[in-house]
Amino acid sequence: MDGSAAELEAAERVVMRWDSSSAGAGADEPMLFDGGGDRAEADRFLRAVDDLRRLAPPSPAAVGSPRRLSSSSVAASGAVQVAMARLEDEFRHVLSTRALDLEIEALADLSSLSINSDRTNSASSADLPAADEDDSVSSSIGRRSTAYRSLRSIREIDLLPDDAVADLRAIASRMAAAGYGRECAQVYASVRKPAVDASLRRLGVERLSIGDVQRLEWDALEAKIRRWIRAARAAVRGVFASERRLCFHIFHDLPISTTTISAASASATHDIPFAEAVKGAALQLFGFTEAISIGRRSPEKLFKIIDLHDALSDLLPDVSDIFAASKVAESIYVQAVEIRSRLADAVRGILSEFENAVLRDPPKTAVPGGTIHPLTRYVMNYSSLICDYKVTLSELIISRPSASARLSAEGNELAPSLADLELPELENQLPLASHIVWIIVVLEHNLEGKAALYKDPALSHLFMMNNVHYIVHKVKDSPDLWSMIGDNYLKRLTTKFTMAATNYQRTSWLKILNCLRDEGLHVSGGFSSGISKSALRERFKSFNAAFEDAHRVQSGWCVPDNQLREELRISIAEKLLPAYRSFLGRFRHHIENGKHPELYIKFSVEDLEIAVSDFFEGVPPSPHNRRKSHG
């Protein structure tokens, strides 16, 4: 027996001692790569496998010979098969038993992780920190290859200890060299796929169908969106990135062939087991956003969908780095890009739907007391939030409201008057700003229809005053909203508010103040003093009745803004009190010299001043608050 034959026989003996199919093998059999103890036997086994490959005679298939296998060839072939079966078991054992516990809680608690992204356009406040620049596996693998690039936003986590990764690489390289790379990759995927799925479950990613998502109530869905954003960042930048790095260190440059994944020949070898391990979890993760992107479009969803869009946009460079370079996994990146596009379409559609909803909101029942209408609050708060998201929306909203969209009001009773509406043209105005201005224009128009519900013209004007004042102050309180609509349109709104306040005072108080004029009180001829006492008595009675009615009614009217309410009372008092003081000074002696003056002079100037302070509180005054005096 020559030296090579002796070496081959020795290698076969080493391998056959670890035959997993032998009668003595069982669940409790020792493992070569158990992570501890004497590694000499594992090293001997690997050297024996190398010797088998180096020394075994070529098989007939390799040389094209029809001759029968020699006994040495049969023995070597059997030993190779035993070796591969043992290495497969060892590979599975190392993957299963030596995996580190992934710190999902730390990954998910993104608020505790610092921002460290090198993308200047990142809007996320929850980027994961950079992986340690000195991160390495054991010396048998060496430092990370320059072919493997990791963004700073990616946080790579060790899924197995360095020595375990080195063992896996050693096993995989032998199996791949012997033509068993596909089997090795399948074992890898069979172990790591459940681990990846479990990680996503711990992050809170639920297995929901599109129908499941679309049947959720909005409050529940909103909470799930918040959780998804946190989970997606941790899943992509932590879980998936770490899985890809692990695959890279184990399978990089190994000859792995597979028929289970199309276009595999165009992929890096480590991408095949990586794709098998994570593809299902990734599709599940992004399937949630897909369900939302094609769901019903309603205004309350806008801002959470923008949050989703921004989160996905922020993740796409990482998704590209992790998936797009791989032919077997690039469909995940393609899906994420398509979902972001559909989310953008949803944002545009929701904004259009919101405009139409404001347009169509019907004038049903007048709000009590002429206070601010709920629609006004909703629309202006919504518009302020739009400005909070102006960076994204300015990118997504690329066209101004079209004439057809502005005037489409099918089934809307306001439609006949819509043609009179104009969208103010502002120089260099962003399309988003045009939409915000149009929303407020439509709101004004709708409020005018609601104002017409009041039978009292003064209350109608007060309603418009309240609501336009609210609009103006919401604009002034938001610099972003102010800059969007511009000074010219704000001046137009302010003028409208001033006109409404003026019209209220004129309509409400002109009749009362006319009672305090001299016209109609003087008589001429005979021995008369020149004043008709009967006319004067009627004038006082008319004033008393008109003021009492105004006090009773307008105390129940509401001006919710404290400053506006006080300014309106002062304005009324400045007109009413001097006029009454003058009238009383000129004519009270005519009444007091007659019978029952208390029937005609019911109020002192102080009484009126106190009474005016009851106005616009939103509740009628109680009787004990009415102070009367004729002294």
Side-chain angles (χ1 to χ4, degrees):
M1 181 182 295
D2 60 21
S4 295
E7 284 185 73
L8 180 60
E9 186 176 333
E12 290 170 357
R13 284 198 300 271
V14 171
V15 167
M16 297 308 292
R17 284 203 302 270
W18 294 91
D19 184 358
S20 299
S21 62
S22 64
D28 296 329
E29 69 172 323
M31 303 300 290
L32 287 163
F33 299 88
D34 60 2
D38 183 12
R39 293 296 301 271
E41 187 64 24
D43 292 337
R44 274 195 297 273
F45 189 88
L46 291 178
R47 284 196 299 272
V49 173
D50 293 339
D51 288 343
L52 280 177
R53 286 191 56 251
R54 179 171 56 87
L55 300 170
S59 68
V63 298
S65 170
R67 56 190 172 82
R68 294 172 60 87
L69 288 175
S70 66
S71 58
S72 61
S73 296
V74 171
S77 176
V80 168
Q81 291 182 14
V82 168
M84 292 303 107
R86 164 54 63 177
L87 288 179
E88 183 175 316
D89 290 343
E90 296 286 343
F91 193 84
R92 180 181 289 105
H93 174 74
V94 173
L95 276 176
S96 301
T97 63
R98 298 177 65 187
L100 299 173
D101 183 31
L102 190 60
E103 296 179 358
I104 289 293
E105 289 71 21
L107 271 181
D109 187 16
L110 299 180
S111 61
S112 69
L113 300 175
S114 61
I115 300 174
N116 197 1
S117 175
D118 60 353
R119 297 198 306 279
T120 56
N121 64 341
S122 173
S124 169
S125 61
D127 288 335
L128 294 170
D132 188 344
E133 293 298 328
D134 294 325
D135 187 20
S136 63
V137 294
S138 67
S139 58
S140 64
I141 297 176
R143 293 190 181 276
R144 182 184 301 130
S145 166
T146 54
Y148 186 85
R149 186 169 70 88
S150 175
L151 292 180
R152 286 185 179 179
S153 56
I154 287 177
R155 185 188 187 191
E156 293 165 338
I157 298 172
D158 291 329
L159 302 177
L160 285 92
D162 290 347
D163 61 335
V165 177
D167 287 343
L168 292 170
R169 171 72 180 184
I171 294 170
S173 64
R174 269 74 177 186
M175 294 185 69
Y180 285 78
R182 181 166 61 90
E183 288 79 359
C184 185
Q186 289 172 341
V187 171
Y188 179 92
S190 71
V191 175
R192 292 309 305 170
K193 184 179 185 303
V196 172
D197 293 343
S199 295
L200 260 66
R201 283 196 300 273
R202 289 173 62 190
L203 285 169
V205 177
E206 301 175 73
R207 190 174 294 278
L208 298 172
S209 68
I210 289 178
D212 292 335
V213 174
Q214 294 182 349
R215 282 190 292 272
L216 288 171
E217 294 294 331
W218 174 241
D219 287 347
L221 186 57
E222 191 175 18
K224 290 184 185 299
I225 289 173
R226 286 195 299 270
R227 287 198 295 271
W228 184 91
I229 291 172
R230 289 165 55 86
R233 287 171 178 151
V236 171
R237 293 171 172 164
V239 177
F240 297 158
S242 300
E243 287 291 337
R244 188 162 190 266
R245 186 182 66 158
L246 178 62
C247 276
F248 179 85
H249 288 317
I250 295 173
F251 294 104
H252 181 58
D253 287 340
L254 298 183
I256 297 175
S257 62
T258 177
T259 58
T260 60
I261 305 175
S262 62
S265 59
S267 298
T269 56
H270 61 276
D271 289 331
I272 297 169
F274 165 70
E276 288 289 339
V278 306
K279 195 169 184 178
L283 293 174
Q284 177 188 338
L285 178 71
F286 293 119
F288 175 79
T289 55
E290 181 177 19
I292 292 174
S293 72
I294 61 177
R296 187 174 65 88
R297 297 174 177 179
S298 52
E300 73 273 9
K301 295 181 179 180
L302 177 65
F303 305 108
K304 277 297 166 209
I305 289 181
I306 296 175
D307 286 342
L308 269 182
H309 175 276
D310 286 351
L312 195 53
S313 296
D314 189 46
L315 285 172
L316 274 180
D318 301 322
V319 175
S320 175
D321 254 45
I322 295 169
F323 295 104
S326 162
K327 289 294 182 183
V328 295
E330 68 176 348
S331 61
I332 296 169
Y333 174 71
V334 171
Q335 181 195 34
V337 172
E338 290 175 350
I339 291 170
R340 183 181 64 169
S341 177
R342 284 198 291 270
L343 288 171
D345 289 339
V347 167
R348 288 186 281 267
I350 289 173
L351 186 61
S352 177
E353 177 58 32
F354 175 68
E355 293 169 0
N356 291 332
V358 177
L359 195 64
R360 292 192 301 262
D361 190 71
K364 298 176 182 176
T365 304
V367 291
T371 189
I372 300 165
H373 199 281
L375 179 67
T376 306
R377 294 184 187 276
Y378 181 67
V379 169
M380 294 312 299
N381 288 332
Y382 200 92
S383 298
S384 295
L385 280 172
I386 286 176
C387 290
D388 289 344
Y389 287 82
K390 68 177 182 179
V391 173
T392 298
L393 284 170
S394 294
E395 296 174 358
L396 300 184
I397 306 301
I398 56 177
S399 61
R400 289 164 52 86
S402 65
S404 59
R406 298 204 306 264
L407 300 179
S408 64
E410 184 177 351
N412 182 7
E413 42 191 279
L414 301 176
S417 59
L418 287 176
D420 298 331
L421 290 185
E422 294 182 2
L423 179 61
E425 298 287 342
L426 302 179
E427 191 175 352
N428 300 322
Q429 187 182 56
L430 290 171
L432 176 62
S434 296
H435 281 270
I436 293 176
V437 171
W438 173 242
I439 287 168
I440 299 176
V441 167
V442 170
L443 173 62
E444 289 181 73
H445 182 74
N446 194 301
L447 290 172
E448 287 167 0
K450 289 173 167 47
L453 295 171
Y454 295 100
K455 296 179 181 179
D456 189 328
L459 183 54
S460 178
H461 293 308
L462 187 82
F463 170 80
M464 288 303 297
M465 179 201 72
N466 274 327
N467 283 268
V468 178
H469 177 269
Y470 182 84
I471 294 171
V472 167
H473 276 263
K474 287 297 286 188
V475 171
K476 288 183 175 179
D477 288 345
S478 170
D480 287 337
L481 186 54
W482 191 341
S483 67
M484 280 282 184
I485 74 165
D487 288 335
N488 289 337
Y489 186 58
L490 181 60
K491 288 177 183 176
R492 173 175 143 174
L493 286 169
T494 304
T495 299
K496 189 163 190 173
F497 154 70
T498 303
M499 287 180 58
T502 301
N503 289 336
Y504 153 73
Q505 293 195 50
R506 181 182 295 117
T507 306
S508 184
W509 292 96
L510 188 59
K511 177 182 176 182
I512 296 174
L513 292 173
N514 279 340
C515 294
L516 304 177
R517 298 173 65 187
D518 290 1
E519 286 82 358
L521 297 179
H522 296 275
V523 295
S524 58
F527 298 99
S528 169
S529 63
I531 296 296
S532 169
K533 289 186 178 182
S534 61
L536 185 60
R537 292 189 190 101
E538 285 302 315
R539 188 67 61 82
F540 269 106
K541 287 172 66 177
S542 297
F543 173 82
N544 294 337
F547 182 79
E548 285 182 332
D549 184 60
H551 181 253
R552 175 182 57 81
V553 172
Q554 295 194 38
S555 294
W557 292 358
C558 183
V559 177
D561 184 86
N562 293 334
Q563 183 177 347
L564 178 59
R565 183 169 63 247
E566 191 57 31
E567 287 175 356
L568 202 57
R569 289 168 177 169
I570 290 171
S571 179
I572 291 169
E574 286 176 346
K575 295 178 178 66
L576 175 66
L577 300 185
Y580 186 71
R581 183 182 290 109
S582 174
F583 189 82
L584 203 59
R586 295 197 309 277
F587 300 115
R588 70 182 301 165
H589 65 280
H590 293 290
I591 299 298
E592 289 175 341
N593 290 335
K595 296 179 180 179
H596 306 295
E598 74 279 359
L599 296 177
Y600 307 103
I601 303 178
K602 291 188 174 183
F603 300 103
S604 68
V605 175
E606 292 73 19
D607 291 335
L608 293 184
E609 187 174 11
I610 292 171
V612 168
S613 67
D614 291 335
F615 280 48
F616 316 123
E617 289 289 344
V619 288
S622 56
H624 70 271
N625 284 337
R626 300 183 185 180
R627 305 187 183 187
K628 303 176 185 178
S629 170
H630 62 274

